[in-house]
Amino acid sequence: MGRKWHAVAALGVAFAATAAAVAADRGLSLVGAAVAPEEEMGLLKKVANLLWKSGANTYQHVWPPMQFSWQIVLGTLIGFFGAAFGSVGGVGGGGIFVPMLTLIIGFDPKSSTAISKCMIMGASVSTVYYNLKLKHPTLDMPVIDYDLAVLIQPMLMLGISIGVIFNVIFPDWLVTVLLIILFLGTSTKAFLKGIETWKKETIIQREAAKRLEQTAGEEVEYAPLPTGPSAAGGTKAPPSDEAASIMQNIQWKEFGLLSFVWVAFLVLQVTKNYTATCSPWYWVLNLLQVPVSVGVTMYEGLGLMSGKRVLSSKGSEQSTLKLHQIFIYGFFGIAAGLVGGLLGLGGGFIMGPLFLELGIPPQVSSATATFAMMFSSSMSVVEYYLLNRFPVPYAVYFVIVAFIAAIIGQHVVRRLINWLGRASLIIFILAFMIFVSAISLGGVGISNMVYKIAQHEYMGFQDLCKYDA
């Protein structure tokens, strides 16, 4: 009973404080006066209007003219290094691109998000082209795990479509809060995984040093972790990480399934562009994406559950998946796509740490995440283009920059891994990129929030049905 009365008293104090604030705001005295029901409704109406105004759409695009300047030079350098590191970590680099485009080039945040997706597409296409000729670090299979991509990528693209819609609706402050929480968590998780992998690599190198002493000076080549970060060792690495033929290194059936999903989504998006926003056909075309993505994912999932298909990149840790695991992977695929569409980032910020937790080697994790991002980012670019969200000349220029940077980054880091014997470098680059993205995007978001508060600007949700890019 004592606790109950304390709770009642606390509620009473809170109510009195609220009433005092309302009265002070209206210049009224609390002495001998009660708060009228109309005044209480007025306070609630203020809160509702802060978050939502019917038909409100105050957003204005800012597209600076494309001309040679120090902004272009500096933005190119930052974009180059962002694409190089982002392609290695399998995250795309959007966490670097968006602040660069906003603070240096001068685009508005949502246009920066769209151009960022163009750069991610350029970097991912370049990286996939580079990886097509590479083999798994320890197994006789492509470095890209096509079965894993088929399981994740359709749900990733469904999440992208949802994220693009949320990008129009959500206020900037909510996006900032979600971004900081998500990225700090995933960067910490990836960093801890990197430390764990580093320690295992150190053990392998010590064992190699002992064998070197026993063999009287014979050279011992670097052997990557046998079956991923959680493996114990024992499998001999193949003599070369390059496939004899690119055509033979591609699993065409899985590639065809992914291409089918991409084409189906493209047709639906293009058709949707000729319907009125929020019309019945608009929502029908959006909902038709669900059976396409779920159907392909469940087709792959049933194969993995029955044992007809396996996640080959896990090596000796291969096992049939359970139904709840299929749903979990699908959920993470949607979550990664939603983050990518909402923030203009690569879904690798979610997929990278997820693949590592599954026991996928860092090289395969990065290559597979980038492969899936190639499809999803290109779909985002199509959607943003149909929404008229970016200027084409700027987009083409930065796509070229990202394409070149990604090839150089892949080549340099591949050489470093072979020289140092540390595939964990990829995991640390992943953690670093996510952390830098949290700081840069979070800082830009907080700065925008402070400015809007000072200017008393509307900070609520936008009306999708009234949106006109």
Side-chain angles (χ1 to χ4, degrees):
M1 288 296 293
R3 291 184 178 180
K4 183 184 293 186
W5 286 112
H6 283 304
V8 172
L11 288 174
V13 172
F15 177 79
T18 304
V22 174
D25 181 61
R26 296 178 179 272
L28 299 177
S29 172
L30 287 178
V31 180
V35 179
E38 291 80 3
E39 293 177 344
E40 293 179 18
M41 291 303 296
L43 178 62
L44 295 175
K45 190 174 181 180
K46 284 183 179 180
V47 175
N49 287 337
L50 177 65
L51 296 177
W52 177 261
K53 291 181 181 178
S54 178
N57 191 6
T58 61
Y59 203 85
Q60 297 293 327
H61 289 304
V62 178
W63 293 356
M66 189 172 183
Q67 55 190 11
F68 182 79
S69 62
W70 68 267
Q71 290 96 333
I72 290 290
V73 174
L74 182 58
T76 300
L77 289 175
I78 295 176
F80 183 91
F81 287 106
F85 283 106
S87 66
V88 172
V91 295
I96 305 296
F97 302 152
V98 173
M100 176 271 291
L101 292 166
T102 303
L103 300 178
I104 297 177
I105 305 300
F107 284 99
D108 63 279
K110 293 189 176 182
S111 295
S112 298
T113 296
I115 299 178
S116 168
K117 268 298 179 186
C118 296
M119 296 181 70
I120 293 172
M121 181 189 70
S124 61
V125 169
S126 172
T127 303
V128 168
Y129 171 76
Y130 184 87
N131 287 330
L132 283 179
K133 64 179 182 293
L134 299 181
K135 295 168 63 177
H136 189 284
T138 60
L139 302 173
D140 189 17
M141 62 167 287
V143 71
I144 298 172
D145 190 333
Y146 288 88
D147 284 302
L148 182 59
V150 173
L151 181 63
I152 295 290
Q153 185 258 356
M155 305 307 289
L156 177 75
M157 295 188 67
L158 179 61
I160 287 285
S161 295
I162 300 172
V164 169
I165 293 176
F166 283 171
N167 177 263
V168 175
I169 298 174
F170 278 18
D172 293 338
W173 64 264
L174 181 57
V175 172
T176 300
V177 171
L178 294 175
L179 181 146
I180 293 175
I181 294 174
L182 177 65
F183 282 13
L184 289 181
T186 52
S187 64
T188 301
K189 189 71 174 177
F191 181 74
L192 295 176
K193 177 61 69 173
I195 293 176
E196 177 187 344
T197 306
W198 179 280
K199 291 179 179 178
K200 291 180 178 180
E201 289 170 337
T202 301
I203 294 174
I204 290 176
Q205 289 185 347
R206 288 175 180 173
E207 293 175 351
K210 291 180 181 179
R211 291 196 300 271
L212 181 63
E213 294 176 359
Q214 295 172 358
T215 54
E218 293 182 9
E219 184 178 357
V220 177
E221 296 183 355
Y222 158 60
L225 290 179
T227 58
S230 56
T235 303
K236 185 178 179 181
S240 173
D241 61 351
E242 291 193 10
S245 169
I246 292 181
M247 302 302 290
Q248 295 177 0
N249 206 39
I250 298 175
Q251 296 181 3
W252 290 102
K253 181 179 179 181
E254 289 76 9
F255 191 89
L257 280 173
L258 296 175
S259 300
F260 162 75
V261 175
W262 191 92
V263 171
F265 270 67
L266 177 62
V267 170
L268 291 173
Q269 294 299 331
V270 172
T271 306
K272 188 178 68 174
N273 190 52
Y274 293 96
T275 64
T277 305
C278 294
S279 66
W281 277 111
Y282 174 87
W283 294 114
V284 167
L285 292 170
N286 272 309
L287 291 174
L288 283 176
Q289 299 174 14
V290 176
V292 173
S293 56
V294 172
V296 174
T297 294
M298 289 308 299
Y299 168 79
E300 179 68 23
L302 291 174
L304 293 170
M305 290 171 59
S306 63
K308 295 180 181 179
R309 314 179 76 88
V310 292
L311 300 180
S312 302
S313 61
K314 298 186 70 174
S316 60
E317 297 178 0
Q318 297 175 14
S319 61
T320 57
L321 297 183
K322 306 298 183 184
L323 181 61
H324 73 277
Q325 291 177 304
I326 301 297
F327 282 113
I328 290 174
Y329 297 156
F331 169 78
F332 277 108
I334 291 180
L338 197 152
V339 170
L342 177 62
L343 306 178
L345 309 176
F349 284 97
I350 302 295
M351 289 189 295
L354 172 63
F355 290 168
L356 293 173
E357 288 299 315
L358 292 175
I360 307 298
Q363 299 98 315
V364 181
S365 170
S366 173
T368 306
T370 305
F371 180 66
M373 277 195 298
M374 179 183 69
F375 290 93
S376 60
S377 61
S378 59
M379 180 55 58
S380 291
V381 170
V382 171
E383 294 191 47
Y384 283 133
Y385 175 77
L386 295 177
L387 288 171
N388 193 30
R389 294 291 293 273
F390 61 82
V392 175
Y394 262 113
V396 171
Y397 172 74
F398 280 115
V399 163
I400 295 173
V401 170
F403 186 93
I404 297 173
I407 286 184
I408 295 175
Q410 287 286 328
H411 183 74
V412 171
V413 171
R414 180 186 169 202
R415 296 289 185 184
L416 281 175
I417 291 174
N418 290 331
W419 178 49
L420 299 174
R422 300 281 185 179
S424 55
L425 285 174
I426 296 177
I427 307 179
F428 286 121
I429 291 174
L430 169 65
F432 171 75
M433 289 296 294
I434 298 176
F435 180 76
V436 170
S437 299
I439 300 301
S440 59
L441 290 175
V444 171
I446 293 173
S447 174
N448 290 335
M449 287 166 53
V450 172
Y451 175 81
K452 286 188 175 183
I453 291 173
Q455 297 296 319
H456 302 287
E457 293 185 12
Y458 175 68
M459 296 178 62
F461 293 84
Q462 302 289 333
D463 191 342
L464 175 66
C465 299
K466 300 291 183 180
Y467 179 77
D468 183 15

